[in-house]
Amino acid sequence: MANYQEFLDGIDRAAYHEGELTWEEDGYTVTRTYQYSPPGCHDSCGVLFYAKDGKLDHVEGDPLSPFTNGKLCMRCLDLPEIVNHPDRVLYPMKRAGERGENKWQRITWDEAYDMIESKVKSIREEFGSESIVCVHGTGRNVNWLVPLFGQAALQTPNISTLFFTGFACYMPRVCGAMAPLGDFPIADAAVAHEDRYADPSFKAPEVIVVWGNEPLASNADGYIGHWLVQCVQMGSRIISIDPRLTWWGARAAYHLQLRPGTDAALACAWLNVIISESLYDHEFVDCWTTGLDELWEGIKDMTPEWAAPITGLSAEDIAASARLYASGNNSAIQWGLAFDQQMSAMALNLAVCDLMAICGNIDRPGGNILVRNSFEINAGYASGEDFTPKSAKDRKLTIARGTGITGGEFIAHACTDGILHCIEAGELPTGEPYPIKMIWFQSSNSLACAGMDAPRDYEALKTVDFIVNADPILTPLSAAVADLLLPVAMSCERNSARTWWTPVRTIYRAVEPAGESKTDEQIVVDLMPRLNPEAAEAFGWTKDTDIADWYLAGGDGKKHGASSNVKGNISEKAKGGVGMSFQELSEKGGYAYDDWNHTYEKYAKGMLRDDGNPGFSTPSGRIELAPYTYRVWGLTPTPFHTEPPEGPVTTPELMEQYPLILSCGGRSFEFFHSEHRQMQTMREFHPWPLVMVNPADAEKYGVEDGRWAWIENGHGRFKQIVKVTPRVAPGVIHAEHGWWFPEEEGAEPSLFGTFDSNPNNCTRAFETGEGGIGTNIKSMICRIYPFAAGDELPGERVTRKGGWGDYTVGAMRGSKVD
């Protein structure tokens, strides 16, 4: 901690123009702000944008930003390459010719808006607004703005991350934590303190469990991975739970290399050890929790000896690692996407929240702190929903083939499997007619990234009457099915604000939008008066900064303007809010921390409950180890393990044909989901999709390092370059997701090679865990075999000459890749 204070004291603040928003330096105009998206990840790092002649020239980290202290990943450092890329969509365009031909005609914004207005009003009148689906990509700045636009302007309740079965990203963790804890827990790496590690109330975790993620590459969910490295430098010990050997596993006291999809069995065994050996925090459990007896009854037979053959771990390591986690006076669990992408998703999330709770690691320094969005700024998936007609809300797609959680207030998103069913069948799962006539995509490359069973999704989309895609880049989704393309400005070209937990930050425009591109915010401002004048009048927005002002004033998804009776202006009486306008906050450094998140043991200070009493924001006021809310949702209230639908336990007869476990979805340093594939620099570091194969399996199945191989199961196949490595155990392979090839032909059948290397050729829709939550992405079965001469996928036939250079995928078939 002293070293961190020395770092702060050593910054030459005058050299970094402390207190200035913009300045001139060596012929450049420099803007201090926060990078977000597009393109970007789940985080928002402090940056200095250097512009010359109206173009972004280079990017530096801002050491005056306490969020990242000047550190940046390669994606931020290489931003000028994509911002100034010749392949950007710069003008509104409508389809010329048939879908899939990738032929476009430039039009004006007014023509584009006229087309949208005409289609939306016609569909509303004939079919109802619920026949429109509004789609956003991964959780970034548009994941509250697009729902607001969809519900207030399009007036549809069907907001979705399309074709993503089982709500299998973040939502299981959010809901799985809210039920037992009442709030969301994150590993405490001093994130809530403006003075970070120098804050006297902070203590580094004694033990950090890095479970189901590689935070250094993913930096996921409002969390920066290198924060934990600094904790390790302060003495934190590591337990790594991951089928892959990562940076954390190489340094761990225990690397638990379990069989993919069996995390819940391990978590239940940890609970069994900690309770049976009385290693839990008795005082905390007695004072602040309820349901210990019921929890014990549910997991009393789930011993390490029971879990060992399921997980592939030794009973000794399971028990010893559980004891290490429980032994710390403060231990933290950093969890990841693997929690959401398995059949036991909700049970696993409950089990790990129970582990945090019984060990007393909730809201204590160096444990898992409870967080909320800074200053109660709560624009979210429900934004604008009060402008959606009740008749449409009543037909919101919340049912996956008649099973699972039925949504309502619990899940603001529409069920993606329900949408797919309605597109294919033209009816609700109950048989009632329900056509999907229009889809609005905003920065979502569904075919290349999120879409389970991507070929099936493609066929379904081709039947939808009208599709709009708003995106900075021409993607496979655009080429395949879009009727209208809207060019979206990038992060350095927009004015916006965001908070993912803490602090609240602004994104301040450093250069003007390229071509005729517009920010996500400006598109909302332009279209809302055309599509729903009532909502436009209520919000009162005329420019993009009006939305930022509303947001910073505490926009909660239902207030119009800064408060219920103030349109578009800052109001001191607004519930929540930072108390500064967008311009004011930008000029004060672009960030603000709040005291609420900064405070530990909020449960003892009456800060969690609406009535101001001590306790947690749960029905009982205590942490519910067997949550009442799970019963309301129709879920089992104690943890358990569910086997993947195919595997050595469930379908042993298939293992001779498909002997390997296929995990996928891991992050890399160069790319975020399906973004950045156009960038020469990123592709120099990481030119091809890679599948990790253990040396023993490579020899056994005849695949070679650096050569293409097929990965196949009973549903489909895809190809990737083999990376022979001991980082994965024998019997397990790990493939990358999100790959497409902008250098290839965009027209059918190639579609930029979107199906060539796509693991979602092998995944299945409608395959979920209990309650319709979770899915099997990370624990499929497969076989692997060499790529033979003459093998061909549609995307291998033509190589397109891109503005950034050529990467001839087809030329590499069957040959060594260096």
Side-chain angles (χ1 to χ4, degrees):
M1 297 181 194
N3 290 336
Y4 183 79
Q5 187 61 57
E6 290 173 7
F7 161 77
L8 294 178
D9 294 341
I11 298 173
D12 187 340
R13 296 177 178 271
Y16 284 98
H17 294 258
E18 185 173 37
E20 296 182 58
L21 174 57
T22 63
W23 62 90
E24 299 299 316
E25 182 179 310
D26 298 330
Y28 297 100
T29 300
V30 188
T31 302
R32 166 175 283 117
T33 187
Y34 281 83
Q35 156 67 15
Y36 201 20
S37 69
C41 66
H42 287 132
D43 286 291
S44 183
C45 297
V47 294
L48 303 175
F49 285 134
Y50 286 75
K52 180 179 285 188
D53 299 326
K55 288 189 174 183
L56 183 66
D57 183 84
H58 62 280
V59 181
E60 293 183 5
D62 182 7
L64 302 186
S65 164
F67 190 70
T68 45
N69 298 125
K71 297 181 178 69
L72 291 181
C73 77
M74 61 197 306
R75 294 190 294 259
C76 265
L77 292 172
D78 199 35
L79 272 172
E81 188 171 343
I82 192 67
V83 171
N84 301 316
H85 202 286
D87 283 358
R88 281 189 64 176
V89 179
L90 297 178
Y91 310 100
M93 296 188 291
K94 69 176 182 180
R95 176 169 52 84
E98 298 299 318
R99 279 181 176 170
E101 290 184 347
N102 198 30
K103 295 178 180 179
W104 305 96
Q105 176 186 344
R106 179 178 171 179
I107 59 176
T108 67
W109 275 101
D110 281 341
E111 288 174 314
Y113 287 159
D114 288 344
M115 185 184 303
I116 294 166
E117 182 179 0
S118 174
K119 290 286 187 180
V120 168
K121 290 181 176 178
S122 173
I123 292 168
R124 280 181 189 159
E125 183 175 348
E126 185 173 356
F127 301 101
S129 60
E130 63 271 22
S131 288
I132 301 172
V133 172
C134 188
V135 179
H136 67 81
T138 189
R140 297 185 294 196
N141 225 40
V142 296
N143 75 324
W144 64 268
L145 185 64
V146 173
L148 187 149
F149 170 75
Q151 292 172 135
L154 296 174
Q155 295 187 284
T156 178
N158 288 322
I159 313 298
S160 174
T161 49
L162 197 56
F163 304 135
F164 203 46
T165 289
F167 303 93
C169 179
Y170 206 53
M171 193 286 289
R173 269 173 291 165
V174 171
C175 296
M178 295 294 185
L181 306 179
D183 281 283
F184 193 77
I186 65 171
D188 183 22
V191 58
H193 309 304
E194 186 170 356
D195 52 356
R196 299 304 302 275
Y197 309 98
D199 192 283
S201 65
F202 170 72
K203 297 178 182 178
E206 292 188 21
V207 178
I208 299 172
V209 183
V210 182
W211 197 329
N213 70 132
E214 166 46 300
L216 289 176
S218 63
N219 294 312
D221 313 328
Y223 202 91
I224 300 292
H226 70 246
W227 295 340
L228 294 178
V229 176
Q230 290 171 275
C231 291
V232 172
Q233 292 170 341
M234 297 175 195
S236 299
R237 301 182 69 187
I238 303 169
I239 299 172
S240 173
I241 303 173
D242 200 311
R244 302 162 299 162
L245 178 65
T246 65
W247 186 93
W248 310 95
R251 292 158 177 81
Y254 291 94
H255 173 213
L256 304 180
Q257 199 169 24
L258 75 178
R259 173 166 64 95
T262 63
D263 303 76
L266 174 62
C268 290
W270 269 25
L271 285 166
N272 180 284
V273 170
I274 292 168
I275 296 174
S276 65
E277 298 183 8
S278 196
L279 302 177
Y280 60 92
D281 185 328
H282 288 258
E283 181 180 358
F284 185 86
V285 168
D286 290 345
C287 292
W288 299 107
T289 77
T290 184
L292 179 64
D293 291 342
E294 185 175 355
L295 171 61
W296 172 246
E297 187 64 28
I299 55 92
K300 65 182 180 181
D301 297 324
M302 299 178 185
T303 63
E305 291 72 23
W306 164 83
I310 296 173
T311 61
L313 304 171
S314 72
E316 292 76 15
D317 281 350
I318 293 172
S321 57
R323 294 174 190 130
L324 176 59
Y325 171 71
S327 69
N329 292 314
N330 56 335
S331 298
I333 296 175
Q334 167 60 21
W335 53 9
L337 196 60
F339 277 66
D340 310 329
Q341 296 187 343
Q342 55 183 283
M343 305 303 282
S344 304
M346 292 301 282
L348 170 61
N349 282 286
L350 173 59
V352 172
C353 287
D354 285 350
L355 282 167
M356 299 173 191
I358 65 171
C359 292
N361 288 323
I362 294 295
D363 220 28
R364 289 181 176 173
N368 281 85
I369 59 169
L370 298 180
V371 289
R372 294 179 184 173
N373 286 329
S374 294
F375 302 97
E376 294 291 344
I377 295 173
N378 290 318
Y381 293 143
S383 297
E385 67 175 358
D386 43 338
F387 290 104
T388 302
K390 184 180 184 304
S391 58
K393 291 179 184 177
D394 290 343
R395 288 163 63 84
K396 175 182 173 182
L397 289 164
T398 57
I399 303 172
R401 288 206 183 267
T403 65
I405 298 170
T406 55
E409 294 301 313
F410 170 49
I411 302 175
H413 264 194
C415 173
T416 65
D417 280 349
I419 294 170
L420 178 59
H421 174 82
C422 285
I423 295 174
E424 292 179 333
E427 62 180 24
L428 289 167
T430 56
E432 181 185 353
Y434 199 142
I436 301 299
K437 308 301 290 185
M438 173 182 169
I439 302 180
W440 176 286
F441 287 95
Q442 189 101 358
S443 294
S444 175
N445 191 8
S446 295
L447 289 182
C449 191
M452 310 259 183
D453 200 343
R456 176 179 181 174
D457 302 336
Y458 173 43
E459 293 302 318
L461 286 174
K462 289 195 290 189
T463 69
V464 177
D465 289 358
F466 184 59
I467 294 177
V468 180
N469 193 19
D471 202 286
I473 295 293
L474 183 69
T475 66
L477 178 74
S478 305
V481 297
D483 300 294
L484 184 63
L485 297 181
L486 303 181
V488 175
M490 292 193 176
S491 181
C492 61
E493 302 166 339
R494 73 189 295 194
N495 294 312
S496 191
R498 61 92 56 165
T499 177
W500 195 330
W501 312 129
T502 189
V504 61
R505 280 149 279 176
T506 59
I507 299 101
Y508 194 87
R509 180 175 293 166
V511 294
E512 290 300 311
E516 293 180 6
S517 61
K518 294 191 177 190
T519 65
D520 298 283
E521 291 82 4
Q522 192 60 49
I523 293 171
V524 172
V525 168
D526 291 347
L527 272 174
M528 193 175 288
R530 285 172 169 260
L531 301 180
N532 188 359
E534 178 188 356
E537 172 66 20
F539 285 104
W541 298 330
T542 61
K543 56 187 183 299
D544 56 359
T545 53
D546 290 341
I547 298 182
D549 283 342
W550 170 85
Y551 181 85
L552 292 172
D556 66 358
K558 294 189 176 182
K559 288 196 291 273
H560 317 138
S563 69
S564 58
N565 58 3
V566 179
K567 289 187 266 185
N569 301 310
I570 296 295
S571 168
E572 293 181 359
K573 296 181 181 180
K575 177 186 177 183
V578 70
M580 287 180 277
S581 69
F582 167 78
Q583 186 68 31
E584 289 168 339
L585 184 55
S586 298
E587 290 176 352
K588 288 183 177 293
Y591 69 89
Y593 287 81
D594 65 343
D595 290 337
W596 195 93
N597 285 294
H598 168 81
T599 304
Y600 291 113
E601 298 185 355
K602 294 181 280 290
Y603 55 86
K605 300 168 184 174
M607 296 175 65
L608 299 177
R609 298 177 56 82
D610 288 340
D611 59 15
N613 289 322
F616 294 83
S617 185
T618 60
S620 67
R622 292 170 172 255
I623 291 176
E624 299 182 358
L625 303 174
Y628 171 77
T629 306
Y630 263 48
R631 291 184 172 84
V632 173
W633 293 340
L635 300 176
T636 304
T638 56
F640 59 90
H641 165 65
T642 300
E643 276 291 324
E646 294 179 342
V649 176
T650 315
T651 56
E653 70 279 3
L654 291 178
M655 298 307 293
E656 184 173 345
Q657 184 177 2
Y658 303 110
L660 299 171
I661 305 298
L662 168 62
S663 185
C664 58
R667 305 295 187 258
S668 67
F669 290 97
E670 299 85 358
F671 310 115
F672 181 70
H673 289 305
S674 66
E675 291 183 344
H676 306 98
R677 297 312 195 284
Q678 299 86 356
M679 297 164 69
Q680 177 83 29
T681 303
M682 299 295 102
R683 293 289 290 275
E684 286 177 0
F685 280 99
H686 198 141
W688 308 109
L690 300 175
V691 56
M692 293 182 183
V693 183
N694 185 273
D697 289 327
E699 181 178 359
K700 183 176 182 178
Y701 300 111
V703 297
E704 298 180 40
D705 188 69
R707 293 186 183 271
W708 290 100
W710 289 109
I711 300 95
E712 181 178 332
N713 66 10
H715 195 60
R717 70 174 184 171
F718 62 98
K719 63 166 190 175
Q720 296 196 359
I721 295 286
V722 173
K723 181 176 179 60
V724 177
T725 173
R727 289 181 58 195
V728 290
V732 175
I733 67 174
H734 185 278
E736 297 178 348
H737 83 301
W739 271 92
W740 58 292
F741 303 95
E743 65 272 19
E744 291 193 14
E745 174 59 48
E748 290 180 330
S750 170
L751 298 176
F752 299 117
T754 193
F755 301 115
D756 291 12
S757 300
N758 193 340
N760 285 344
N761 296 346
C762 297
T763 55
R764 292 175 170 88
F766 301 102
E767 194 171 75
T768 67
E770 185 182 56
I773 307 298
T775 188
N776 194 39
I777 300 174
K778 292 185 177 292
S779 50
M780 298 179 283
I781 60 173
C782 71
R783 64 188 180 114
I784 189 169
Y785 54 93
F787 196 87
D791 283 356
E792 188 173 72
L793 282 170
E796 296 171 312
R797 298 194 176 109
V798 181
T799 297
R800 184 175 68 92
K801 291 186 178 295
W804 49 274
D806 301 331
Y807 284 93
T808 309
V809 175
M812 306 308 297
R813 281 202 310 271
S815 60
K816 180 77 173 179
V817 177
D818 295 322

